[in-house]
Amino acid sequence: MVDESGIAEVFARLPVQYRAVRRLLDPRSESGPETIVRLMLRQLGCRVEVQARIPGVGRVDLLVDGWLIVECDSRAFHSDWQQHREDRRRDAAAATHGYVTIRPIAEDILFHPEIVRAALAGLLHGRSARPRRRVVAGSR
């Protein structure tokens, strides 16, 4: 974790052309991969809430357009079966409330961002492209 003065020191040492990146930082982000995904989603035209709290689910890394949960997972915090079980249960709880969850891994975010961006774009496009049908009781 770096505080505001540490961030200021880093940016003071950078060439001027890179200083504009500072305005893209969000102190609520808990990791670099979260920031990268948030910026991808911004490029895709999404509204992104950082560290959003969802009743019955808890805090999520990113909530996109009010329906898509993005949890940026890494080996450091998701290496044991107990954590995987807890994550899947949270995903199921979110689904009962109509949320969709995607869990890109840090390795792909950092080294294969095109895969992550394509997956996000596919989900977002799929949601907007599907006609929303209203189900009337007794009909199929």
Side-chain angles (χ1 to χ4, degrees), residues 3-140:
D3 63 13
E4 190 60 36
S5 65
I7 291 170
E9 185 178 327
V10 168
F11 278 92
R13 294 173 187 234
L14 289 175
V16 174
Q17 69 263 29
Y18 297 115
R19 293 183 186 166
V21 172
R22 184 173 183 183
R23 67 181 168 75
L24 300 174
L25 299 180
D26 187 322
R28 297 170 297 169
S29 288
E30 294 183 339
S31 72
E34 279 181 34
T35 297
I36 292 167
V37 172
R38 178 177 55 83
L39 295 174
M40 283 180 193
L41 290 162
R42 224 172 98 167
Q43 282 183 322
L44 291 168
C46 299
R47 181 176 40 88
V48 182
E49 295 175 56
V50 178
Q51 302 303 324
R53 291 205 177 276
I54 299 174
V57 177
R59 187 172 52 84
V60 300
D61 293 341
L62 305 168
L63 179 60
V64 183
D65 292 342
W67 66 272
L68 177 61
I69 296 170
V70 180
E71 294 281 19
C72 302
D73 292 347
S74 66
R75 179 180 278 187
F77 298 103
H78 297 85
S79 61
D80 67 0
W81 179 242
Q82 180 58 35
Q83 185 61 53
H84 284 280
R85 287 178 20 188
E86 185 178 317
D87 288 345
R88 297 319 176 268
R89 288 179 177 144
R90 289 182 70 228
D91 294 350
T96 65
H97 297 290
Y99 296 94
V100 174
T101 303
I102 184 171
R103 292 180 170 278
I105 58 173
E107 179 180 335
D108 288 341
I109 295 166
L110 296 170
F111 302 109
H112 307 287
E114 69 284 355
I115 293 170
V116 176
R117 190 178 194 289
L120 293 167
L123 274 173
L124 294 162
H125 176 73
R127 174 81 170 218
S128 64
R130 278 196 301 269
R132 304 218 176 150
R133 289 190 281 157
R134 189 168 180 200
V135 178
V136 178
S139 69
R140 289 193 167 247

